[in-house]
Amino acid sequence: QVQLVESGGGLVQPGGSLRLSCAASGFRFRNYAIGWFRQAPGKEREGVSCISSSDSSTYLKDSVKGRFTISRDNAKNRVYLQMNSLEPEDTAVYYCAAGTSCLRGYAYWGQGTQVTVSS
């Protein structure tokens, strides 16, 4: 059974940090790119970051460059999204997803974790 489970969300003040974790099971994790997406209330889902399967190349949305870092641990079947200098505009439900590449469709999705940035 394929599963992607996000954790690490919560309430944080502006300027604070959170580390999201995506735990994968039920598929050959090392062969998949893992992306992070987010959806804020009333807005469309958007891609935030992705890490490839082959050489662990990383991609970041322009608005999070310099603040967010994505990494993967294939031994633990986990991907992490370190989020620093958080802004209220980062408030959203964050999802991880697995796909054959960062630029193509994603086959598997997690249930999401809420991130709220507020004072």
Side-chain angles (χ1 to χ4, degrees):
Q1 180 183 0
V2 172
Q3 276 195 315
L4 290 170
V5 180
E6 302 94 338
S7 61
L11 173 64
V12 64
Q13 292 186 342
S17 299
L18 285 173
R19 188 176 81 153
L20 304 183
S21 177
C22 173
S25 62
F27 62 99
R28 195 173 292 273
F29 177 79
R30 64 177 63 248
N31 289 351
Y32 282 77
I34 304 295
W36 282 99
F37 297 78
R38 66 187 182 188
Q39 187 166 22
K43 295 187 177 181
E44 292 188 354
R45 186 177 64 198
E46 62 179 3
V48 176
S49 185
C50 184
I51 186 164
S52 72
S53 61
S54 55
D55 58 0
S56 292
S57 297
T58 61
Y59 305 89
L60 289 166
K61 178 180 173 62
D62 283 347
S63 64
V64 306
K65 286 180 179 177
R67 301 189 297 123
F68 291 10
T69 304
I70 189 170
S71 61
R72 67 188 297 157
D73 185 339
N74 286 340
K76 296 183 178 179
N77 283 9
R78 285 182 179 263
V79 168
Y80 304 98
L81 186 67
Q82 178 67 44
M83 306 187 297
N84 299 327
S85 302
L86 283 161
E87 304 169 352
E89 293 74 21
D90 297 316
T91 294
V93 178
Y94 283 70
Y95 302 88
C96 65
T100 54
S101 80
C102 285
L103 300 179
R104 297 186 178 178
Y106 290 80
Y108 310 126
W109 290 82
Q111 83 291 346
T113 186
Q114 176 70 47
V115 171
T116 303
V117 184
S118 175
S119 55

